[in-house]
Amino acid sequence: MAAKVKVVFPSCIKSSRQFSRKVAFISNTLLANSRKNRYSSSFSHSFSETIGMIKESLATKPNDLLTSKTTRLFVGTGQYYEHKTNERVVILSLGDDENLRPPVMLHDTAVQRDEVEKLEQELSSLSSVGSVHSGELDSVQDAPWKFGFVLKPSFSIFSVSGFCCQLQQSSSEGMYFRIFDEHLHEDIPLSDIEHIQVSLSPEPWEERKLQLKMKNGDVVSVVEDREENVPSKDGLASLMLSTEWMVKAAGHMCITARQFGDTKVSLKLPPVLRADVNPWVAMRNRIWAEKSNES
């Protein structure tokens, strides 16, 4: 029988409120050199103003970037945004399936948290929009984003340069992940995947990779990133915060592979990103569970 591990929470994270305060402190430390202050009241706009600004952006972009009725809009939130009622929302025009152009930024704003879904519905009704995709970006607080994943209508991962991964289907291979490396790509049948993993370089864990481990032993990188980590006593908290998006992306990728590939793909995380080792991850998971029970 495996030994039970008791996670001891640091004295500063005995409650979800204390956890949020500590996360805000860590994120502000990480983003000390950020050029924009997203907390200012001027950053938040009314719902109607936000729609008007997005329409204006769509109208002023060059036709070769935004073609009528083929524009795929992405509406995404980040990982942490410390505000009682507002949520930071980024609206992008996603690139094409051939990965010939990167996403185009249309708008970056804050709206009422309960209006995000309404925003998606309103944008889908615009004549210049072909489809609306929703998901999450890797931004924390007011930081610029580097990566994002789409959950609806179908799973994909993208970066500021273009798509990293798309879920696709063919009559010969069935469902597969198309993994991009700039304009080249590799098609990975879901049935060939053994597990999906997040790997880290040695402490301070600044190099991070989301990878597919194949049944034949090969490893295929989907996302590679490098992020500064806060040293000393806040290192584990900083690591939890800055890998939040990648862990979520790996988890959703794993769920997608199971759902569409009829295969038992597992998720592998390094010890420092597991709840039995990192108390910040344990508290974060507990808060996720509490929110899930409330919904």
Side-chain angles (χ1 to χ4, degrees):
M1 180 181 295
K4 293 184 178 180
V5 178
K6 181 179 180 181
V7 177
V8 179
F9 292 104
S11 58
C12 59
I13 54 169
K14 292 295 185 181
S15 69
S16 58
R17 178 173 294 184
Q18 290 170 330
F19 174 85
S20 296
R21 288 175 179 171
K22 188 63 175 179
V23 164
F25 172 78
I26 296 294
S27 62
N28 287 335
T29 302
L30 287 171
L31 308 175
N33 296 321
S34 181
R35 291 175 295 176
K36 292 185 179 180
N37 180 8
R38 302 295 184 183
Y39 298 97
S40 64
S41 59
S42 61
F43 179 64
S44 179
H45 301 282
S46 69
F47 186 83
S48 59
E49 287 176 328
T50 298
I51 294 295
M53 292 176 181
I54 297 170
K55 286 181 178 179
E56 183 178 352
S57 293
L58 287 168
T60 56
K61 294 296 180 183
N63 290 334
D64 60 334
L65 293 181
L66 305 176
T67 305
S68 179
K69 270 302 177 187
T70 62
T71 299
R72 294 185 293 185
L73 289 194
F74 170 82
V75 179
T77 56
Q79 299 311 299
Y80 289 94
Y81 187 70
E82 288 299 314
H83 194 282
K84 288 183 178 180
T85 60
N86 289 354
E87 188 72 72
R88 181 186 175 188
V89 178
V90 175
I91 296 91
L92 309 168
S93 172
L94 292 179
D96 50 51
D97 286 340
E98 287 72 34
N99 221 31
L100 298 179
R101 67 171 179 82
V104 177
M105 172 68 78
L106 296 176
H107 201 47
D108 185 350
T109 188
V111 299
Q112 292 283 327
R113 193 163 284 116
D114 57 3
E115 290 184 334
V116 176
E117 187 173 344
K118 179 182 175 183
L119 177 63
E120 295 174 10
Q121 295 171 350
E122 186 74 17
L123 292 177
S124 66
S125 68
L126 299 180
S127 60
S128 57
V129 174
S131 59
V132 173
H133 300 239
S134 60
E136 297 184 20
L137 299 170
D138 66 339
S139 60
V140 175
Q141 306 288 25
D142 62 342
W145 67 275
K146 293 188 289 184
F147 298 98
F149 60 74
V150 175
L151 292 180
K152 296 185 297 184
S154 61
F155 181 80
S156 64
I157 297 176
F158 61 90
S159 72
V160 293
S161 301
F163 280 106
C164 304
C165 170
Q166 291 177 335
L167 177 67
Q168 298 195 10
Q169 182 177 18
S170 72
S171 56
S172 59
E173 296 183 0
M175 302 296 290
Y176 60 91
F177 286 132
R178 173 160 289 181
I179 309 300
F180 291 91
D181 182 7
E182 294 185 349
H183 301 319
L184 303 176
H185 67 262
E186 179 179 4
D187 293 340
I188 308 292
L190 302 186
S191 58
D192 290 350
I193 302 171
E194 179 177 299
H195 64 253
I196 295 168
Q197 64 188 31
V198 173
S199 63
L200 304 173
S201 61
E203 191 174 354
W205 315 295
E206 293 186 341
E207 294 181 9
R208 299 93 184 269
K209 297 179 181 180
L210 193 168
Q211 300 172 314
L212 307 180
K213 178 66 179 297
M214 312 305 295
K215 291 178 179 178
N216 64 4
D218 291 346
V219 176
V220 178
S221 284
V222 181
V223 172
E224 296 187 4
D225 189 25
R226 183 178 180 86
E227 192 73 38
E228 181 182 357
N229 200 47
V230 174
S232 70
K233 63 184 180 65
D234 289 325
L236 288 177
S238 171
L239 181 67
M240 180 278 298
L241 185 72
S242 59
T243 59
E244 181 102 346
W245 176 88
M246 186 173 286
V247 169
K248 283 185 179 180
H252 286 299
M253 197 173 191
C254 188
I255 292 171
T256 300
R258 292 174 185 170
Q259 181 179 357
F260 295 100
D262 192 25
T263 180
K264 296 181 179 179
V265 176
S266 59
L267 175 64
K268 301 289 186 181
L269 298 176
V272 287
L273 291 181
R274 297 203 309 259
D276 58 343
V277 174
N278 189 332
W280 295 91
V281 172
M283 175 61 84
R284 189 270 316 277
N285 291 353
R286 194 172 85 182
I287 292 172
W288 280 356
E290 290 173 354
K291 289 182 178 179
S292 178
N293 292 334
E294 292 172 358
S295 60

